[in-house]
Amino acid sequence: MRILVTGGAGFIGSHLIDRLMAEGHEILCLDNFYTGSKQNISHWLGHPRFELIRHDITEPIRLEVDQVYHLACPASPVHYQFNAIKTVKTNVIGTLNMLGLAKRVKARFLLASTSEVYGDPDVHPQPETYRGNVNCIGIRSCYDEGKRMAETLAFDYHREHDLDIRVARIFNTYGPRMLENDGRVVSNFIAQALRGTPLTVYGDGSQTRSFCYVSDLVEGLMRLMNGEQTGPINLGNPGEYSILELAQKIQTLINPNAELVYKPLPSDDPKQRQPDITLAKTYLSWEPTIPLDQGLALTIADFQTRLGLAPGP
């Protein structure tokens, strides 16, 4: 098939492209390089089935494709809060443009939504039926509400224009090619431990997250795209870890003597985040396979290479 991946030079998008290229598809990678990197897809440049298009999805574009994986949007607080209005435009105008493209050429459309639509949840773990607890005027709302609006648009196109859509709600994902400065907890801890600086824990570290290795997530996205379920479907690892536990795991793997420093919890930071993946198991026969320790070791090795640091013990 001819497949468009928006945000294809990003962390998740580039891993998705690797899988799609390996399956023999023709890939159009669309990215404005706000958080994506040409290095992530440099090994495909010049390949006859791969085309890179530098483009901002807030501007319309006409392309002929069979499927659209719509991943384009800064996804870490540091990046999406840096230019909040741009983040909203990407989620709303950008999604409108991509839905319009899919409608015009009758392509199947997968929206990469997020667990952030659940906000700071008061239901745990979070099933797809939970409607969330989001602060619509908070500092995270450009992303939270932006993605909620993107889901609204996708379902309105589905109902009004019979567009074939899929909606994935992605929980915390980690792995090689994460940006070391994205402010996410895994990349923060690894970069700090490798550089020999104290690991920054926000709050008391009791808040929990669930960490899904990127290859597992990509498998889930592809099964959703090629299955029969519209969604939304949660994709994430139901294993739940406190931030303090994660810091200690990374300490052990890189530098057992690394210090921990505590800072105030940012505004609207969720206290618990864990997916209920019953629907993914039932309809996609999908669940994560990579344990956290194994995934962290692979991620650390990638960070060591990119930061030019010798491998640790």
Side-chain angles (χ1 to χ4, degrees):
M1 282 186 288
R2 189 169 161 86
I3 300 174
L4 170 64
V5 181
T6 74
F11 160 50
I12 294 172
S14 62
H15 285 281
L16 174 63
I17 283 174
D18 288 349
R19 278 290 306 277
L20 295 172
M21 287 292 289
E23 291 198 349
H25 299 293
E26 186 178 340
I27 304 301
L28 296 180
C29 170
L30 203 70
D31 210 295
N32 68 350
F33 299 107
Y34 175 57
T35 56
S37 166
K38 203 173 280 189
Q39 193 175 345
N40 289 340
I41 38 92
S42 60
H43 49 292
W44 296 120
L45 296 175
H47 192 285
R49 284 189 286 105
F50 180 81
E51 189 175 343
L52 173 62
I53 304 167
R54 187 176 192 132
H55 181 80
D56 190 313
I57 59 164
T58 59
E59 300 294 332
I61 189 169
R62 297 181 81 88
L63 299 165
E64 301 288 326
V65 293
D66 302 304
Q67 291 184 341
V68 178
Y69 284 89
H70 178 39
L71 276 62
C73 183
S76 69
V78 167
H79 293 130
Y80 67 63
Q81 289 169 13
F82 177 74
N83 189 338
I85 294 167
K86 177 71 173 173
T87 299
V88 173
K89 283 183 171 179
T90 300
N91 278 320
V92 178
I93 300 169
T95 300
L96 263 175
N97 285 334
M98 293 304 106
L99 285 163
L101 182 153
K103 176 195 160 197
R104 193 166 56 247
V105 298
K106 296 182 170 56
R108 182 174 290 182
F109 180 93
L110 183 144
L111 171 67
S113 187
T114 172
S115 60
E116 295 290 336
V117 299
Y118 301 125
D120 185 3
D122 44 23
V123 170
H124 193 74
Q126 295 82 55
E128 291 84 351
T129 50
Y130 176 54
R131 293 183 181 179
N133 176 32
V134 173
N135 176 1
C136 64
I137 57 169
I139 58 169
R140 300 168 76 98
S141 60
C142 58
Y143 187 66
D144 303 358
E145 296 287 30
K147 286 292 190 184
R148 284 157 75 102
M149 190 67 223
E151 287 194 15
T152 300
L153 289 166
F155 275 92
D156 284 341
Y157 264 78
H158 176 59
R159 285 185 287 258
E160 285 191 31
H161 303 298
D162 201 28
L163 185 67
D164 194 9
I165 66 162
R166 304 287 184 270
V167 175
R169 288 181 179 161
I170 298 171
F171 283 68
N172 288 52
T173 305
Y174 71 101
R177 302 179 192 161
M178 285 185 93
L179 291 171
E180 65 270 12
N181 63 344
D182 68 5
R184 295 188 217 196
V185 65
V186 172
S187 37
N188 268 7
F189 286 163
I190 292 176
Q192 288 169 340
L194 286 172
R195 289 177 171 134
T197 58
L199 277 58
T200 308
V201 176
Y202 292 95
D204 60 5
S206 65
Q207 66 273 35
T208 66
R209 294 293 183 272
S210 305
F211 301 102
C212 186
Y213 191 67
V214 66
S215 62
D216 281 333
L217 178 79
V218 165
E219 177 67 28
L221 290 173
M222 290 171 64
R223 287 191 190 196
L224 177 60
M225 173 65 98
N226 297 305
E228 298 305 316
Q229 295 300 312
T230 296
I233 287 188
N234 289 337
L235 294 178
N237 194 321
E240 187 181 14
Y241 295 89
S242 75
I243 298 302
L244 199 54
E245 279 180 279
L246 179 73
Q248 289 161 348
K249 276 184 178 291
I250 290 171
Q251 258 182 324
T252 304
L253 287 165
I254 299 175
N255 178 9
N257 301 317
E259 272 184 83
L260 298 181
V261 294
Y262 293 84
K263 291 192 176 176
L265 202 61
S267 175
D268 297 329
D269 196 61
K271 290 178 283 298
Q272 288 184 300
R273 187 61 68 69
Q274 181 191 14
D276 178 332
I277 61 166
T278 305
L279 290 186
K281 284 180 174 178
T282 305
Y283 295 115
L284 309 179
S285 301
W286 176 88
E287 60 183 313
T289 60
I290 308 288
L292 184 59
D293 287 354
Q294 182 188 346
L296 285 175
L298 293 165
T299 309
I300 289 164
D302 172 69
F303 269 65
Q304 286 168 329
T305 303
R306 284 187 294 138
L307 296 174
L309 299 164

